[in-house]
Amino acid sequence: MPGLTSAAGVVGFLSEPEPELQVFALKVMNEQIDSLWTEVASSVGDIEALYEDPSFPERELAALVAAKVYYHLQEYNESMIFALGAGKLFDIDHEGEFEDTIISKCVDTYIALSGTVPANNTNQPPSQLTTAFSSNANGASSISAGLASPTTPFSQSTLPSKSLLSRQDSTTTFDPSQQVAGNANLPGALPASVASQASVQKQLYAIIDELFERCFQGGSYRQVIGIAVEARRLDILRRAIIRASEDEKKQRKGEDGEFIRGQELMEYVLEICMNVVQERGLRNELLQLVLDLLNDIPSPDYFSIAKCIVYLNEHTMASDMLVQLVNKGDAKSTAVAYQIAFDLYDNSTQDFLKKVREDLPKAPEPAPAATTDDQDRMQEEPPEPRESDQLLQELDDSAGVPASSLEGNQDKKEAELSPEAQKAFDSIRTILSGTKTIELDLEFLFRSNRADMAVLNKIRDSVEARNSIYHTAVTLATAFMHAGTTNDSFFRQNLEWLGKAVNWSKFTATAALGVIHRGNLGQGQKLLEPYLPKDQIAGANPSSAYSQGGSLYALGLIYANHETFALDLIREHFKKATEEVVQHGGALGLGVAGMATGDESIYEDLKSVLWTDSALNGEAVGIAMGLIMLGTGDIRALEYMIQYAHDTQHEKIVRGLALGMALIMYGRQEGADELVNGLLDDPDPILRYGGIQTLALAYCGTGSNKAVRKLLHVAVSDVSDDVRRIAVMSLGFILFRKPSSVPRMVELLSESYNPHVRYGAAMALGISCAGTGLDEAIDLLEPMIKDPTDFVRQGALISLSMIMIQQNEAMNPKVGTIRKTLMKAISDRHEDAMTKFGSAIALGIIDAGGRNCTISLQTQTGNLNMSGIVGMVVFTQYWYWFPLTHFLSLSFAPTAIVGLDQDLEVPSFKFHSATRPSLFDYPPEQETKQEDAPKKVETAVLSTTAQAKRRAQRKEKQQRRESMDIDQTPTTPKTVNLDDKMETDESPPKAEGGQESEKPDGGKKEGDAQPETAKKRMEKEKVGYQLENMSRVLPAQRKFISFPDGRYQPVKKPTGGVILLTDSTPSEAKSLMELKAKKTVKPAAAPVTLQDRVSQALVQQEAADRDAQGAAEAAGVLTAVDEDGEGGEEAEVPQEFDYFTDEEGGNEG
């Protein structure tokens, strides 16, 4: 039929009584609706009437025409409803704009219908949290309740209607729990007809099922998974993963092999959970589903299971998986168990690891011989029930296991352990305790230390040591540069400079030993023994309280996040201490060493000291309480801290408690919303400051849009500069997994009129882009180096060092310029003290850990690095208290690959890097030029003297003319040329491969061509080189690493850190690497004679004396008592002396 120019005649057929004419009219409209819809639209009511008439034979055709008319009218909800009523006539396989639009609308409606189940609230705190926050004048507690809220100097109603800041989450987003009435006129609102008509819903589900089937047939499983996750349909998600595995089996036609399609989909779901899903309840449900599916696979991916277990905090499942692997008995399964144990230590809290260690089977301990009385008592009194017994009883009851067999099974489990299994479980306990990882990290940092001492000497010589801020800056730079290397030679070689530390500078210098020796578990206590508090003996010289407090802080840093005897030792000194400085250091040490243990007894000890209401130790105690209860969400602790923060008058205590509450809510996400809202509504700016920190820690690494929106709102609206600064800075913690998005977000904030906002923008860039060398971030920070405000320049320098850490010229050409800028800032005599302080810290950060550490807020496997995030958060508080700067060392992560065999020994082998050697090489050492000596002032020349010289020169010239001897040997020019050449010969050794030029400006031209020569040399390098085990491997280099060695192969894809290797030829002799960090002088095999023993003892004593001499001298300097209290250092009173006049001296002569 030719195309119609008018639909008037066809539309008239709709009014005819004969159904045949009506059907004919509908068929014509359906074929040419795209050109006739404008005329048909006026008769859409008649078409709807035909669809609703039960006696009409082509109701589905009428529905399809009505759907197309409404589609052209852009009424997509009505169009979708009529399309669903069209039944089979609506062909989803037909490619067209109408079909695509309706399918998209069906998917959205399906998601809305399926998402009516309320979110899981198991992770949220109970609603009975008593915040005790005061309300405003109108009795309202929300920000928008009054016009004069402390957080908004203007009413929100005055904001533009389309402003991002004026949007409210509760009123502008679709709430799936409110199907119709609560979502009226909202995007994504569910049409009333769909919600009420079961037949329409049935047709909708049929369309979606048909769509899913088409995706399955085409292999588009990820599309189905995406829809299922959005719709919260876990049954569809399970169906998609199982269907993928079944289809792969059919394609292989029963062939044996590893089926990877299902595992790839589960890895895809894991990636969605960690990076896309922002709601914690849904994430836990998805992870539980993946965990169940992985356990059903015959050969599951144990590393993915471990990742799920850590996030779900299922310590029992972790121990069961380790037991299952060890019981297999083969070498590879044991190596996988060891690798999982290392991953668990990197990603879990101390409390979780402790429970896993306790759940592992142990060999039965030999029971002591019981006396008759003991046997009678055991027969009379039943053993006390334990909490674990009740849990096991409930599990067995639910599984149908007789209760009488419980104890017998446990005894059987212990009795059946083979020697190999017992050895494996002991090794796993050692790994889970962290001892092995810390030992290997210490060994790598010790043997690969590339710290540039010339830079430290330059910093020391450029600042005045008598100024405490400068002395502290040099101390912090030294600590960061040598973090974890155990190299404290700078302190030992500069005892005179170290002796100028007084009061809190001495506290910081002593604590710096903890940063330098972090992880030195074997020698940590012995090293700090001279500084630790001791019982005072009558007549003995007391040591400085500042060095005592700093030593407790250092002891906590050495054993950071490692619950050992050191925690009990610090706690004992903390309870005995009476001086506030010692309590201050003890509280910080307790918090660092007992991080996330949730120990109630330590919490009570800290609370008892808090009751003394001392501003000095109260701040440290508040932070320590948060560190002990890190991430627990303890309601009782929060209520106590909130109440005390309102009762005390000391700002330092309130600040410490605010940070402590934020630490307690670490990673709680929606569970912290109640506390955040309460803190942000408080009139006290310090508590609002804590509310922002709580928001940052609760949503750290999630990229939550809700959290970002709230931070941006506070950043531009709060009346307190401190709160606005921390709000901008916290963007870095929320978005550090998406570093490329942060520069774009803070670009305008970096140009704010408020210097505090500019500082926050600089620090946000440093936190989120640490170690990336991101050009966009550097471009924003470079102008801030010249900011008129000193603390903005300080923040810019620190952030640049964080971004440029472990970068070289090949990776980022700007790194050389930035290093020179840092050196220039520290040596500039006209620069402000705050900027010099930031420059000194930056020089330490950029070479952290002997140039072998990076700043990492996530672990090697992609999980949140708890200690790194906590360290970064507390480090930002250096704004108020310099000693807290040491916490940044918790964020330092060694960048190495350490291969271990099945015996947990370090074999000597090589792996391959498919890059040029110079691409990821160490940056060159800093060239520190010595400053020229000050020139002497020229002596004033009188006019008569000048005239006499001119006369002498004319006379000499006349004499040369009259002389017949023409000796024109150019002695002076030759001397000058010789001198120039000698200077040139002395300087070029610093440049390689250059040839001297005979021209006077040859050196300048050579210097200009040197970068080009280096670039060409890099291009000529051969791609690919070998690396020894325990070598430095940067995060960007890991994707180029392979293991071509036929003997040792990793059990998983190398992710950095400790990698377990399988030995293909275990029967052959293996070569092991010598561990230098813990090397000790061992005696000879068996000295037979007395003279041999005496000689050996003398040699060992001399070596020990040499090593201990510098340490003893440094300890003597730091433990000396400060006589002057809080004031400056006073000069000694001069002794009496005799003097003589000239006459008396002449007479005696």
Side-chain angles (χ1 to χ4, degrees):
M1 179 183 291
L4 298 178
T5 58
S6 175
V10 178
V11 171
F13 286 158
L14 295 176
S15 302
E16 295 294 330
E18 291 81 4
E20 292 79 3
L21 294 177
Q22 294 173 339
V23 171
F24 172 77
L26 290 175
K27 289 182 178 178
V28 173
M29 291 179 188
N30 184 42
E31 293 175 356
Q32 304 186 29
I33 192 65
D34 291 339
S35 58
L36 302 177
W37 71 269
T38 53
E39 296 180 71
V40 177
S42 60
S43 303
V44 70
D46 297 336
I47 300 175
E48 290 185 26
L50 292 176
Y51 167 66
E52 294 172 357
D53 185 3
S55 62
F56 186 69
E58 294 290 342
R59 294 181 57 201
E60 294 180 349
L61 180 59
L64 182 61
V65 173
K68 292 184 178 181
V69 172
Y70 278 116
Y71 163 74
H72 285 290
L73 292 172
Q74 297 186 0
E75 296 290 343
Y76 299 124
N77 285 334
E78 287 78 3
S79 178
M80 179 197 68
I81 293 172
F82 283 105
L84 293 175
K88 296 181 179 179
L89 293 182
F90 177 66
D91 185 10
I92 64 173
D93 294 330
H94 183 270
E95 295 183 359
E97 188 176 345
F98 166 69
E99 287 78 9
D100 292 342
T101 303
I102 298 303
I103 290 174
S104 175
K105 192 64 182 177
C106 288
V107 171
D108 293 339
T109 307
Y110 173 78
I111 292 172
L113 277 174
S114 303
T116 55
V117 181
N120 188 1
N121 297 324
T122 55
N123 297 305
Q124 299 184 8
S127 58
Q128 65 267 20
L129 174 62
T130 304
T131 58
F133 295 111
S134 58
S135 60
N136 56 23
N138 297 326
S141 59
S142 65
I143 297 179
S144 58
L147 300 182
S149 171
T151 59
T152 51
F154 48 85
S155 172
Q156 281 189 331
S157 61
T158 62
L159 292 173
S161 59
K162 294 184 179 180
S163 172
L164 176 66
L165 306 180
S166 65
R167 299 178 186 173
Q168 298 293 327
D169 291 339
S170 60
T171 59
T172 58
T173 56
F174 174 75
D175 185 2
S177 62
Q178 302 178 3
Q179 292 190 13
V180 181
N183 293 315
N185 301 322
L186 290 181
L190 198 62
S193 57
V194 177
S196 59
Q197 297 181 14
S199 59
V200 176
Q201 292 187 19
K202 181 179 179 181
Q203 186 64 27
L204 174 67
Y205 290 141
I207 291 289
I208 296 298
D209 288 341
E210 186 178 353
L211 181 65
F212 286 165
E213 185 63 30
R214 190 173 69 173
C215 291
F216 290 150
Q217 293 176 0
S220 303
Y221 303 100
R222 295 194 176 193
Q223 296 182 8
V224 179
I225 288 177
I227 296 174
V229 170
E230 283 196 64
R232 299 170 179 265
R233 290 295 301 270
L234 302 185
D235 55 335
I236 301 296
L237 185 62
R238 179 189 293 271
R239 172 185 162 193
I241 296 176
I242 295 176
R243 176 68 179 270
S245 301
E246 292 176 351
D247 291 347
E248 188 177 11
K249 290 180 182 178
K250 292 179 181 179
Q251 292 176 1
R252 292 191 179 185
K253 298 179 180 180
E255 296 179 3
D256 295 333
E258 186 178 359
F259 299 97
I260 60 174
R261 186 178 296 173
Q263 295 186 12
E264 288 179 351
L265 288 179
M266 282 185 276
E267 292 178 1
Y268 176 65
V269 175
L270 281 177
E271 183 181 354
I272 291 177
C273 288
M274 299 303 175
N275 301 325
V276 179
V277 178
Q278 297 182 358
E279 185 182 340
R280 188 173 183 180
L282 176 60
R283 186 180 301 172
N284 288 348
E285 293 177 3
L286 293 174
L287 289 174
Q288 188 64 52
L289 171 65
V290 173
L291 195 58
D292 296 340
L293 292 173
L294 286 171
N295 287 326
D296 294 339
I297 299 177
S299 305
D301 182 4
Y302 289 105
F303 301 108
S304 298
I305 294 177
K307 188 181 293 187
C308 297
I309 287 174
V310 169
Y311 194 90
L312 294 172
N313 202 26
E314 294 285 349
H315 62 88
T316 305
M317 299 183 68
S319 58
D320 291 343
M321 180 174 60
L322 293 173
V323 171
Q324 178 185 353
L325 287 168
V326 171
N327 288 339
K328 286 186 176 181
D330 59 304
K332 184 174 182 179
S333 298
T334 305
V336 171
Y338 289 162
Q339 184 67 67
I340 290 175
F342 278 110
D343 293 345
L344 289 176
Y345 173 75
D346 290 337
N347 297 285
S348 309
T349 63
Q350 291 191 53
D351 184 49
F352 181 89
L353 296 172
K354 183 178 180 181
K355 292 177 180 178
V356 174
R357 292 198 304 268
E358 292 174 351
D359 290 344
L360 292 177
K362 301 178 181 179
E365 298 179 0
T371 61
T372 306
D373 296 338
D374 293 337
Q375 295 176 357
D376 295 340
R377 191 180 298 110
M378 291 174 62
Q379 293 176 359
E380 294 174 2
E381 300 179 4
E384 294 184 3
R386 296 175 297 177
E387 184 179 357
S388 59
D389 294 341
Q390 181 181 358
L391 177 61
L392 291 173
Q393 178 69 42
E394 294 174 358
L395 291 175
D396 288 334
D397 290 344
S398 62
V401 179
S404 58
S405 64
L406 174 65
E407 185 175 354
N409 289 341
Q410 183 68 21
D411 294 342
K412 183 179 179 181
K413 182 178 180 181
E414 293 183 352
E416 290 181 352
L417 283 181
S418 63
E420 294 79 8
Q422 183 58 42
K423 179 183 177 182
F425 286 128
D426 291 342
S427 300
I428 291 175
R429 288 191 187 90
T430 303
I431 296 171
L432 292 176
S433 67
T435 305
K436 195 67 180 178
T437 302
I438 295 173
E439 174 188 323
L440 294 172
D441 288 344
L442 183 74
E443 174 66 25
F444 164 69
L445 294 175
F446 175 80
R447 68 193 303 145
S448 304
N449 183 17
R450 294 289 187 91
D452 193 352
M453 297 298 293
V455 175
L456 285 178
N457 293 330
K458 176 70 174 178
I459 300 174
R460 179 203 60 200
D461 297 337
S462 300
V463 295
E464 175 55 50
R466 290 181 181 271
N467 192 330
S468 62
I469 184 174
Y470 291 147
H471 197 286
T472 301
V474 180
T475 300
L476 294 172
T478 306
F480 290 158
M481 197 174 292
H482 294 95
T485 63
T486 70
N487 182 5
D488 55 5
S489 58
F490 182 81
F491 287 155
R492 302 185 185 189
Q493 296 170 3
N494 296 274
L495 296 178
E496 181 181 356
W497 167 85
L498 191 63
K500 297 178 181 179
V502 294
N503 301 331
W504 289 105
S505 296
K506 183 174 293 186
F507 178 93
T508 307
T510 310
L513 294 174
V515 178
I516 295 173
H517 291 272
R518 184 190 172 195
N520 193 358
L521 304 180
Q523 304 293 329
Q525 182 184 4
K526 182 179 180 181
L527 174 76
L528 294 174
E529 191 66 34
Y531 311 92
L532 293 173
K534 300 179 181 61
D535 297 332
Q536 296 298 334
I537 304 174
N541 293 328
S543 59
S544 171
Y546 293 94
S547 64
Q548 293 179 7
S551 66
L552 294 178
Y553 185 14
L555 195 61
L557 290 170
I558 290 177
Y559 297 90
N561 200 20
H562 185 66
E563 188 178 6
T564 57
F565 70 93
L567 187 61
D568 297 330
L569 179 63
I570 300 172
R571 183 180 177 187
E572 180 182 354
H573 286 300
F574 176 75
K575 293 168 68 173
K576 290 181 180 179
T578 56
E579 298 190 22
E580 294 180 343
V581 179
V582 181
Q583 290 177 339
H584 181 93
L588 293 176
L590 272 177
V592 178
M595 189 186 303
T597 56
D599 195 317
E600 291 285 347
S601 58
I602 298 178
Y603 173 81
E604 293 297 330
D605 292 340
L606 292 168
K607 192 164 71 171
S608 62
V609 175
L610 183 65
W611 272 107
T612 60
D613 202 42
S614 168
L616 187 59
N617 54 32
E619 182 178 19
V621 168
I623 296 174
M625 292 167 72
L627 288 172
I628 294 295
M629 295 293 178
L630 180 64
T632 60
D634 192 294
I635 300 298
R636 184 179 58 84
L638 288 172
E639 290 181 348
Y640 172 80
M641 296 168 77
I642 291 170
Q643 186 63 41
Y644 196 90
H646 283 91
D647 293 341
T648 186
Q649 300 297 319
H650 298 290
E651 290 187 357
K652 290 177 69 68
I653 296 180
V654 178
R655 184 173 292 112
L657 290 172
L659 179 55
M661 287 186 283
L663 292 168
I664 292 177
M665 282 299 180
Y666 166 80
R668 306 298 294 184
Q669 296 187 20
E670 297 88 356
D673 287 348
E674 183 182 0
L675 177 62
V676 170
N677 293 333
L679 289 172
L680 289 181
D681 292 340
D682 199 275
D684 188 351
I686 301 179
L687 287 178
R688 297 203 303 276
Y689 187 100
I692 296 297
Q693 289 179 313
T694 306
L695 183 66
L697 280 171
Y699 288 92
C700 60
T702 62
S704 170
N705 295 330
K706 178 180 68 173
V708 170
R709 187 180 299 117
K710 187 170 293 187
L711 289 175
L712 290 174
H713 167 64
V714 175
V716 298
S717 64
D718 201 278
V719 295
S720 170
D721 286 336
D722 289 346
V723 180
R724 297 179 68 178
R725 182 181 68 247
I726 191 63
V728 181
M729 192 187 307
S730 297
L731 291 171
F733 291 103
I734 303 293
L735 300 169
F736 69 80
R737 280 180 167 170
K738 304 173 183 177
S740 59
S741 64
V742 179
R744 186 172 61 254
M745 184 170 294
V746 303
E747 183 176 1
L748 294 178
L749 295 173
S750 65
E751 300 174 359
S752 171
Y753 72 94
N754 191 325
H756 292 267
V757 174
R758 298 199 300 270
Y759 173 87
M763 293 300 293
L765 290 170
I767 293 168
S768 59
C769 305
T772 61
L774 195 65
D775 291 332
E776 292 84 352
I778 296 170
D779 293 340
L780 288 179
L781 288 171
E782 283 181 331
M784 303 176 76
I785 299 175
K786 302 176 182 179
D787 195 276
T789 308
D790 53 358
F791 61 80
V792 177
R793 298 196 298 272
Q794 178 193 80
L797 293 173
I798 293 176
S799 296
L800 279 173
S801 67
M802 291 181 180
I803 296 173
M804 284 299 187
I805 190 171
Q806 286 197 324
Q807 299 284 315
N808 58 18
E809 293 282 354
M811 300 170 67
N812 194 313
K814 292 184 178 181
V815 66
T817 306
I818 291 175
R819 285 180 177 269
K820 291 179 181 178
T821 303
L822 296 175
M823 295 299 296
K824 181 180 178 182
I826 197 68
S827 59
D828 189 354
R829 298 179 181 177
H830 304 289
E831 190 59 86
D832 293 323
M834 294 185 70
T835 307
K836 285 189 173 184
F837 179 83
S839 178
I841 294 179
L843 285 168
I845 293 173
I846 201 169
D847 289 338
R851 301 186 175 184
N852 292 300
C853 288
T854 187
I855 294 177
S856 178
L857 300 187
Q858 52 185 342
T859 61
Q860 311 277 8
T861 55
N863 288 357
L864 297 180
N865 181 8
M866 181 190 67
S867 60
I869 293 172
V870 170
M872 183 64 74
V873 169
V874 182
F875 160 73
T876 59
Q877 302 307 300
Y878 82 89
W879 179 279
Y880 302 103
W881 194 236
F882 285 156
L884 297 179
T885 312
H886 286 311
F887 269 82
L888 183 62
S889 62
L890 300 180
S891 302
F892 293 160
T895 52
I897 285 183
V898 182
L900 296 183
D901 59 12
Q902 292 96 326
D903 298 327
L904 297 184
E905 295 177 331
V906 186
S908 177
F909 77 102
K910 294 183 179 181
F911 52 89
H912 184 74
S913 176
T915 60
R916 293 183 173 89
S918 60
L919 181 58
F920 298 105
D921 198 7
Y922 288 97
E925 292 189 359
Q926 191 78 20
E927 295 182 5
T928 54
K929 298 181 181 180
Q930 297 182 355
E931 294 184 358
D932 297 336
K935 297 181 180 179
K936 296 182 179 180
V937 180
E938 295 182 0
T939 307
V941 181
L942 299 177
S943 59
T944 55
T945 306
Q947 293 175 1
K949 286 185 176 181
R950 284 196 293 270
R951 286 195 298 269
Q953 290 175 356
R954 285 196 297 267
K955 186 177 180 180
E956 183 180 357
K957 189 176 181 180
Q958 185 66 24
Q959 289 177 354
R960 286 201 303 268
R961 287 178 181 177
E962 296 175 355
S963 175
M964 297 299 295
D965 185 7
I966 315 175
D967 186 6
Q968 299 294 336
T969 53
T971 55
T972 304
K974 279 189 176 181
T975 305
V976 174
N977 291 338
L978 182 61
D979 292 342
D980 290 343
K981 187 174 181 180
M982 290 177 65
E983 291 177 0
T984 306
D985 289 339
E986 291 176 0
S987 56
K990 297 179 182 178
E992 298 178 0
Q995 294 182 356
E996 297 177 24
S997 175
E998 297 179 359
K999 298 181 180 180
D1001 57 345
K1004 189 178 295 185
K1005 290 183 179 179
E1006 178 189 357
D1008 294 341
Q1010 184 177 355
E1012 184 179 357
T1013 305
K1015 185 177 180 180
K1016 289 183 178 179
R1017 187 167 58 247
M1018 177 183 172
E1019 293 176 355
K1020 292 180 180 179
E1021 286 179 348
K1022 182 181 178 181
V1023 176
Y1025 62 102
Q1026 300 293 323
L1027 287 169
E1028 290 284 349
N1029 189 16
M1030 199 175 282
S1031 292
R1032 174 179 181 263
V1033 177
L1034 301 187
Q1037 188 180 1
R1038 293 173 193 156
K1039 58 186 177 182
F1040 302 105
I1041 297 299
S1042 60
F1043 290 77
D1045 191 332
R1047 178 169 184 179
Y1048 294 105
Q1049 292 297 322
V1051 297
K1052 72 167 187 176
K1053 184 179 179 181
T1055 55
V1058 180
I1059 301 294
L1060 263 294
L1061 307 169
T1062 56
D1063 189 354
S1064 59
T1065 56
S1067 58
E1068 296 182 6
K1070 56 184 178 181
S1071 174
L1072 300 178
M1073 298 184 67
E1074 182 184 12
L1075 301 184
K1076 301 178 181 179
K1078 65 175 186 177
K1079 184 180 179 181
T1080 56
V1081 180
K1082 297 183 179 180
V1088 272
T1089 63
L1090 180 61
Q1091 184 62 34
D1092 292 339
R1093 296 180 182 178
V1094 172
S1095 302
Q1096 186 180 31
L1098 290 175
V1099 171
Q1100 293 181 4
Q1101 184 63 35
E1102 289 177 1
D1105 291 344
R1106 285 195 304 269
D1107 294 338
Q1109 183 178 3
E1113 293 176 353
V1117 171
L1118 287 177
T1119 56
V1121 180
D1122 301 325
E1123 301 287 347
D1124 55 343
E1126 295 290 339
E1129 184 178 1
E1130 299 177 359
E1132 297 181 359
V1133 178
Q1135 300 177 357
E1136 296 182 0
F1137 59 91
D1138 297 331
Y1139 64 94
F1140 303 96
T1141 62
D1142 294 340
E1143 297 179 356
E1144 292 174 345
N1147 293 335
E1148 289 182 1

